[in-house]
């Protein structure tokens, strides 16, 4: 059993690539929502067994894609049973624009975690917000509620800014550390 699961939907592969990189560094299990917004029974069991869950989705039109929302709606039975009460949660999101309303997506993810009675972990990093900062710096987008990633719309999955990938890796490691402290 993995202590940490990253439940991810990725429309173009960028969010999945970031989730894979973070999972590899922390031994988290990747639970991928399919194109129809579904998980199989084994995937649901992985989420149930995990001590913590990280939500990972791109930001489309100011929120998660419909496939991720379908997954979230499917957790309502778990919500009613308080099955995820006191799990540790986190989240990250990617969009093509620097802002792209990513903060709205993170707030939505935080709300979903709160509805489940979960414990949300903040990013815990200072922003790289001086004149010398560039796209390879950690937290250059200045997030605090979770990790933010910006990948230009015409970029391949191999062109995700290194600083954004490193920010997510540090964040997922932080969530894992919090799980260990609470265990």
């Amino acid at each position: 059993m993995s202590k940490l699961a990253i439940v991810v939907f990725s429309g173009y592969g960028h969010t999945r690539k970031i989730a894979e990189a973070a999972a590899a560094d922390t031994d988290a299990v990747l639970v991928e929502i399919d194109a129809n917004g579904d998980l199989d029974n084994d995937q649901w069991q992985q989420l149930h067994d995990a001590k913590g869950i990280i939500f990972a989705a791109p930001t489309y039109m100011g929120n998660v894609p419909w496939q991720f929302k379908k997954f979230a709606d499917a957790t309502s039975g778990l919500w009613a049973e308080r099955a995820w009460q006191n799990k540790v949660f986190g989240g990250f999101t990617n969009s093509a624009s620097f802002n792209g309303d990513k903060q709205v997506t993170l707030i939505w993810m935080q709300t979903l975690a709160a509805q489940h009675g979960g414990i949300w972990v903040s990013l815990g990093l200072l922003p790289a917000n001086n004149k010398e900062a560039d796209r390879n710096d950690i937290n250059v987008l200045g997030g605090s509620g979770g990790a933010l990633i910006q990948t230009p719309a015409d970029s391949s999955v191999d062109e995700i800014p290194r600083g954004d990938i490193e920010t997510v890796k540090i964040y997922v490691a932080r969530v894992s550390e919090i799980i260990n402290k609470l265990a």
Side-chain angles (χ1 to χ4, degrees):
M1 171 185 80
S2 178
K3 289 183 183 176
L4 182 60
I6 301 174
V7 60
V8 60
F9 175 77
S10 186
Y12 298 98
H14 299 87
T15 307
R16 180 187 321 105
K17 179 146 183 157
I18 297 161
E20 289 170 347
D25 279 9
T26 59
D27 292 326
V29 63
L30 220 56
V31 177
E32 189 165 0
I33 299 166
D34 71 18
N36 293 317
D38 296 321
L39 298 177
D40 65 31
N41 289 336
D42 290 338
Q43 291 172 308
W44 281 109
Q45 191 63 48
Q46 288 175 312
L47 293 176
H48 179 68
D49 290 343
K51 301 273 186 219
I53 298 172
I54 293 181
F55 299 136
T59 294
Y60 293 169
M61 305 306 292
N63 208 331
V64 296
W66 70 265
Q67 292 92 337
F68 199 94
K69 179 68 167 82
K70 182 179 177 186
F71 151 76
D73 288 349
T75 70
S76 63
L78 298 169
W79 166 82
E81 298 169 9
R82 306 316 294 159
W84 289 355
Q85 183 82 22
N86 296 326
K87 276 192 190 287
V88 175
F89 286 89
F92 64 87
T93 188
N94 177 44
S95 73
S97 300
F98 275 98
N99 180 324
D101 298 315
K102 287 186 275 290
Q103 189 68 25
V104 175
T105 301
L106 281 181
I107 291 168
W108 182 88
M109 290 174 175
Q110 287 175 318
T111 301
L112 177 61
Q115 289 172 335
H116 279 285
I119 302 160
W120 187 266
V121 177
S122 68
L123 183 60
L125 295 172
L126 291 171
N129 60 3
N130 56 35
K131 290 191 287 187
E132 291 80 30
D134 68 30
R135 293 296 289 127
N136 292 315
D137 287 335
I138 304 299
N139 198 23
V140 74
L141 296 178
S144 58
L148 306 175
I149 303 100
Q150 185 269 329
T151 308
D154 57 350
S155 293
S156 74
V157 296
D158 296 321
E159 297 176 284
I160 301 165
R162 188 176 71 237
D164 290 357
I165 293 173
E166 291 305 313
T167 301
V168 174
K169 287 177 165 185
I170 291 167
Y171 179 55
V172 172
R174 174 176 161 80
V175 173
S176 184
E177 179 183 324
I178 299 294
I179 291 167
N180 290 335
K181 285 182 179 183
L182 294 174

